[in-house]
Amino acid sequence: MLNKQFVRFLLVGGFNTVFGYSLFALLVWFNLPYPIAIGLATLGGIALNFQTTGRLVFGGAPLSRAARFVAVYAITYVLNVAGVAALLRLGFGLYMANALVIIPLAVVTYLLQRKFVFHTI
């Protein structure tokens, strides 16, 4: 059974994912290379995600946790680009590859945020 915190993470994360994926798709549509598009979408989502995830999922978003939060997103950026690259080599289209990588990244992000960013809140 899923715990309430993880369910809140999925709901808030769904909103944040729509924002981030839309930004990614728009940037790719403007012909930016996918690593840059993923990077800019990640940066664009960090401030929004820090506030929504910190406050609504973990009960607070003290600024002192921002560096750890950014570090988690640096890790997920690397995993995202690597996952997309692997799926592109398997023949998936760019938009589908990034959409497929989002699902496992959500679990990884939740676990990293719970353990390293918001663990004492």
Side-chain angles (χ1 to χ4, degrees):
M1 177 168 263
L2 296 176
N3 69 35
K4 290 180 184 179
Q5 186 180 59
F6 187 65
V7 171
R8 285 193 312 267
F9 178 82
L10 291 175
L11 293 172
V12 170
F15 171 76
N16 293 338
T17 299
V18 168
F19 173 79
Y21 187 84
S22 297
L23 185 54
F24 159 78
L26 180 67
L27 294 170
V28 167
W29 188 74
F30 280 114
N31 293 318
L32 263 70
Y34 76 86
I36 294 171
I38 291 171
L40 292 174
T42 299
L43 289 173
I46 284 176
L48 173 70
N49 295 350
F50 182 68
Q51 290 302 314
T52 58
T53 302
R55 293 183 192 283
L56 300 174
V57 176
F58 295 105
L63 196 53
S64 62
R65 307 291 173 116
R68 291 180 184 192
F69 190 84
V70 171
V72 165
Y73 273 89
I75 292 166
T76 58
Y77 167 78
V78 170
L79 294 173
N80 194 341
V81 170
V84 168
L87 291 173
L88 289 174
R89 284 191 298 276
L90 291 173
F92 286 88
L94 181 56
Y95 295 104
M96 180 57 73
N98 197 42
L100 291 172
V101 170
I102 287 172
I103 296 165
L105 281 179
V107 174
V108 170
T109 302
Y110 171 75
L111 294 172
L112 290 173
Q113 286 182 8
R114 189 177 78 183
K115 178 144 179 92
F116 298 111
V117 181
F118 300 108
H119 65 285
T120 59
I121 295 177

